[in-house]
């Protein structure tokens, strides 16, 4: 019954698109984003050097985005990305986003297909240094940035919101399971510069199939508080998650995780320079590995050579410790963000 009601609501929304006007002129634009770094990495496991260690150049992300506008209501987006496949020894291009958008009003926009999820991209917009490091939930693997499904979003002057009903497997896997996963977020700005947001996720992570039924439900609750004023950004993110892995969903054992991120930056007035720092603390497996701790921090200075070229000289450190084991990673170098 719920699935039929959802389908009926979507049909009604599509039919509400309105007629085409004679002055609606289709247009197509192409853009891109590259995240690149030149760094020295040192990784140690229980005091011994292990891989990855050494100098290297990485292109962590390279997006090519094609956006076509049909009229004031309808548009479509197709964004490619790539990764390295160890099984073939080659890089592979794949679809990161592929959706049809129906813009009814600023308070109501629908996206059908692989589109951004409500939480992680929203946090990245406030953090501002995604090219140096992913946001907390993304870094720890307790959320997807993009997934296949139906996405509703909108905003007023002081409130923003988004809801997604998705397959749950992430953008690389559009396969279906018996149910759908749901994520929602609401953000509120009580005064200029101050934003609070709450988020929630629930579902089976795409693992509930006829062949292998899911035994547990994954869920995650989120909080974000950010202050932006006169070049200063200060924020805190927190999450608490249950069974947020495909293993935890499909096996009898249950698990919990939580973590927080403190981040800040300052843009020097009248210059192209800024400074930034961040500290994360997390308990990735509170039930199955209660002594496990993840600690991460970074700091650096960033500058713009043009409006579309941003660079950062930064240092990053992460330590994952458990009873009798410790893995440390230190990385120093230059990170870059290239938009076109």
């Amino acid at each position: 019954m719920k699935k039929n009601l959802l389908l009926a609501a979507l049909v009604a929304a599509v039919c509400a698109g309105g007629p085409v006007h004679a002055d609606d002129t289709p247009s197509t634009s192409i853009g891109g984003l590259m995240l690149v770094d030149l760094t020295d990495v040192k990784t140690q496991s229980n005091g011994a050097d292990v891989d990855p260690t050494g100098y290297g150049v990485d292109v962590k992300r390279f997006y090519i985005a094609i956006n076509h506008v049909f009229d004031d209501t309808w548009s479509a987006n197709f964004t490619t990305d790539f990764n390295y496949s160890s099984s073939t020894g080659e890089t592979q291009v794949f679809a990161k986003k592929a959706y049809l958008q129906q813009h009814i009003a600023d308070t109501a926009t629908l996206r059908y297909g692989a589109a951004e999820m409500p939480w992680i991209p929203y946090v990245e917009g406030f953090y501002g240094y995604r090219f140096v490091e992913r946001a907390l939930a993304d870094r720890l693997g307790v959320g997807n940035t993009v997934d296949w499904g139906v996405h509703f979003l909108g905003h007023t002057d002081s409130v923003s919101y988004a809801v997604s009903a998705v397959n749950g497997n992430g953008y690389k896997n559009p396969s279906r399971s018996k149910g759908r996963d749901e994520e929602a977020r609401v953000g509120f700005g009580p005064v200029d510069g101050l934003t609070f947001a709450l988020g929630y996720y629930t579902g089976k992570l795409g693992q509930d199939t006829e062949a292998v039924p899911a035994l547990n439900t994954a869920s995650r609750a989120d909080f974000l508080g950010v202050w932006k004023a006169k070049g200063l950004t200060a924020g805190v993110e927190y999450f608490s998650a249950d069974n947020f892995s495909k293993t935890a969903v499909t096996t009898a054992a249950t698990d919990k995780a939580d973590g927080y991120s403190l981040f800040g930056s300052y843009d020097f007035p009248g210059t192209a320079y800024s400074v930034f720092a961040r500290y994360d603390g997390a308990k990735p497996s509170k039930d199955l590995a209660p002594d496990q701790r993840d600690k991460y921090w970074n700091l650096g200075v960033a500058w713009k050579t043009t409006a579309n070229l941003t660079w950062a000289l930064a240092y990053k450190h992460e330590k994952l410790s458990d009873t009798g084991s410790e893995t440390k990673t230190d990385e120093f170098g230059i990170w870059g963000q290239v938009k076109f």
Side-chain angles (χ1 to χ4, degrees):
M1 177 62 72
K2 289 182 178 180
K3 293 180 181 179
N4 293 335
L5 289 174
L6 177 62
L7 181 60
L10 292 177
V11 171
V14 170
C15 293
V20 176
H21 300 285
D23 59 351
D24 287 333
T25 303
S27 63
T28 301
S29 60
I30 300 176
L33 174 67
M34 179 172 68
L35 307 183
V36 62
D37 64 66
L38 171 60
T39 66
D40 179 35
V41 178
K42 183 176 182 179
T43 306
Q44 290 188 317
S45 178
N46 296 326
D49 290 350
V50 296
D51 292 325
T53 291
Y55 290 96
V57 174
D58 294 315
V59 179
K60 293 292 182 65
R61 287 289 181 266
F62 200 126
Y63 304 119
I64 300 294
I66 303 171
N67 193 68
H68 182 78
V69 177
F70 299 97
D71 54 39
D72 288 343
T73 301
W74 295 98
S75 62
N77 179 280
F78 179 69
T79 301
T80 67
D81 196 1
F82 81 101
N83 67 350
Y84 173 76
S85 172
S86 59
S87 61
T88 63
E90 299 175 342
T91 56
Q92 298 178 341
V93 177
F94 57 89
K96 177 67 180 283
K97 292 188 284 188
Y99 63 83
L100 177 67
Q101 176 171 291
Q102 181 184 11
H103 177 73
I104 302 170
D106 288 346
T107 54
T109 296
L110 284 158
R111 292 174 177 172
Y112 312 95
E116 291 181 334
M117 294 291 284
W119 188 255
I120 294 175
Y122 181 76
V123 175
E124 290 176 349
F126 287 98
Y127 173 49
Y129 292 87
R130 163 63 184 87
F131 70 101
V132 176
E133 186 58 81
R134 294 173 292 171
L136 175 67
D138 191 17
R139 187 179 71 82
L140 294 176
V142 289
N144 290 320
T145 57
V146 173
D147 208 339
W148 294 84
V150 180
H151 310 261
F152 174 81
L153 60 151
H155 66 88
T156 65
D157 289 341
S158 59
V159 178
S160 69
Y161 44 86
V163 180
S164 294
V166 296
N167 293 357
N169 254 320
Y171 58 86
K172 292 184 180 180
N173 188 345
S175 62
R176 302 186 181 196
S177 67
K178 291 193 294 184
R180 65 176 181 269
D181 288 18
E182 297 164 344
E183 182 171 284
R185 180 260 304 158
V186 59
F188 174 61
V191 297
D192 287 345
L194 182 62
T195 300
F196 295 110
L198 296 173
Y200 189 73
Y201 186 105
T202 183
K204 308 293 186 180
L205 304 182
Q207 302 305 298
D208 192 21
T209 65
E210 294 294 342
V212 183
L215 301 180
N216 299 312
T217 298
S219 64
R220 192 191 73 243
D222 306 287
F223 169 79
L224 176 70
V226 181
W227 171 255
K228 282 181 171 286
K230 298 180 180 180
L232 176 67
T233 297
V236 56
E237 180 188 3
Y238 172 80
F239 80 87
S240 178
D242 292 343
N243 306 313
F244 216 103
S245 72
K246 294 178 180 180
T247 300
V249 168
T250 55
T251 58
T254 61
D255 205 1
K256 297 179 182 293
D258 63 18
Y260 64 90
S261 180
L262 306 173
F263 58 89
S265 61
Y266 181 72
D267 299 327
F268 292 100
T271 76
Y273 292 88
S274 64
V275 291
F276 60 91
R278 171 175 157 187
Y279 180 85
D280 296 357
K283 298 178 181 179
S285 182
K286 297 175 68 175
D287 292 343
L288 301 180
D291 294 328
Q292 190 176 83
R293 299 288 187 273
D294 179 90
K295 295 182 179 180
Y296 168 90
W297 58 264
N298 69 36
L299 57 86
V301 57
W303 66 95
K304 291 180 177 290
T305 51
T306 72
N308 294 325
L309 297 177
T310 305
W311 307 97
L313 179 67
Y315 192 97
K316 302 198 298 187
H317 172 84
E318 182 179 12
K319 181 173 73 172
L320 180 65
S321 60
D322 203 344
T323 303
S325 67
E326 180 181 270
T327 301
K328 295 193 298 183
T329 302
D330 292 279
E331 187 172 10
F332 177 75
I334 295 177
W335 283 258
Q337 175 177 266
V338 183
K339 297 180 180 180
F340 58 93

